[in-house]
Amino acid sequence: MSLSDFAYQKCISANCGATFGIDEVLIACAQCGDLLDVVYDWEKSQPPSSLKSFEKHWQRRDDPLRFSGVWRFYELLPFPTTDAVVSIGEGQTVLQTADGLAPYVGVDPGRLFLQYEGLNPSGSFKDNGMSAAFTHARAVGARRAACASTGNTSASLAMYCAATRLMKALIFIGSGKISYGKLSQALDYGALTVQITGDFDDAMMRVKEVCQSLGIYLVNSVNPFRLEGQKTIMYRVLEALNWDPPDWIVVPGGNLGNSSAFGKAFAELLEIGLIDRVPRLAVINAAGANTLYELFERRKVRWQASQGNTSAECDYYRELDAAGQKAQTIASAIEINRPVNFRKCLRALDVCDGVVREVTDQEILDAKAQVGTAGLGCEPASAASVAGAKRLREEGIIASSDRVVCILTGHMLKDPTATMAYHTTDQDEFNRVLGSRGVRRASFANRAVAVPNDLDEIIKAIQLYS
Ligand code: F0G
């Protein structure tokens, strides 16, 4: 059980380009501090010559390697040997045509698709990446794994630890900053849960220090192996579209791991010659946590292969600190001001001719309610993608005939507090949870009808409201 000999780690900065062994545990380049990629020698690893050839793996569902929605694309992330793979059946997710939601977004019937990553074992897309990070962690002999989290990474880590018994989980969360659905998962799965005063950005800085001093394996998306697993979300989207890339991928942006992974997936598919066209990428920030939007759209910071983006980033963080400004949004999963994958995301935007938008909590909650009425539902952060697609359509950047894929990153049951506050008849509850965040209306609320326990009254109410 080991790691393959055609993969290595490489600094993303062209000035540096330092390389490291695949068995090294690093969260930044040991020479210049920039982010790291997992890189493959495709000549040696010999990936298939057409994406269509992945379809045959469906016939081998008795093999855990091919059952997993991550590892059935093993040839596109071949950093472990096949016997080293850790899987709990992640990635059994679907792309669905969303005609019920298409009029809301403003695209033609048959052109809007939702990728339901909430259908993963722990209820979010994180399991794609966790399976890959766990595979690496086990191969390098890690016994403890840690993360800072807005809730989903921690739920995923805790689940992989509980289900595989390979490692013990240590999670850092900002106190009061994660939804009960997610916190309850981590507690039930038995993770050591450290609630620190502060928010995700504070927790992220601390967990890095703790991992360094205690030699604990860090599974946040600064870990390049996490992103290898998340590339497969794009492979499944392509698979569902008969390997024909859509016009747009729209994804919420928090720590910017997903968007970075998607860009890497498409860049590699181009490089290997498995696609000849990449979709455009739209990354959607919440307006109260909009670092990427501010830097990319307002200050026009662009990808520079040599390490050249960090000064704009640092200047902005200094401004935030001076103003005492913290991230604030009902979409707690993306309540992040210091996205660790900022540079990789700029690279993804470059590869995919990307755009960035910010959407308000009002837009996010309205879009979430519409996603619910149209299908399987999602948590607030995920709905940012739909709200963002609607915005881009209104601006004419997305055309009504474009094929648009919105990534729904987390399950609807992750954050029942936000959902209930939107649909409540209790104005105080609405004001407490949502009004305090600038949400004024619940235009798509579906309020429960209170009736006495009396047959005639019940029938009357049904006739009145149906
Ligand atoms: N959507 C959901 C449901 C998330 O949980 C996250 C991130 C994102 C979107 C943003 O993704 O970081 O790749 O840009 N959640 C992390 C966590 C930060 O700790 O669970 P990203």
Side-chain angles (χ1 to χ4, degrees), residues 48-58 66 68-76 93 95 113 115 231-247 249 265-266 269-270 273-279 403 405:
S49 56
S50 92
L51 283 169
K52 212 167 169 45
S53 72
F54 283 103
E55 288 171 13
K56 65 177 184 290
H57 299 325
W58 275 106
R66 298 311 187 182
S68 163
V70 170
W71 297 105
R72 74 171 183 270
F73 299 102
Y74 169 79
E75 289 79 0
L76 298 174
T93 63
L95 183 78
F113 303 87
Q115 175 70 11
K231 290 190 310 192
T232 65
I233 300 170
M234 290 302 101
Y235 306 150
R236 295 196 294 276
V237 165
L238 291 178
E239 180 180 54
L241 296 175
N242 215 5
W243 311 111
D244 182 19
D247 297 298
I249 299 289
F266 290 121
L269 291 178
L270 268 185
L274 290 173
I275 54 173
D276 52 18
R277 173 174 74 79
V278 296
R403 292 204 307 170
V405 174

Side-chain angles (χ1 to χ4, degrees), residues 420-433:
M420 286 309 295
Y422 189 85
H423 293 293
T424 189
T425 48
D426 177 347
Q427 194 60 40
D428 291 341
E429 178 67 0
F430 181 91
N431 290 341
R432 190 182 63 78
V433 182

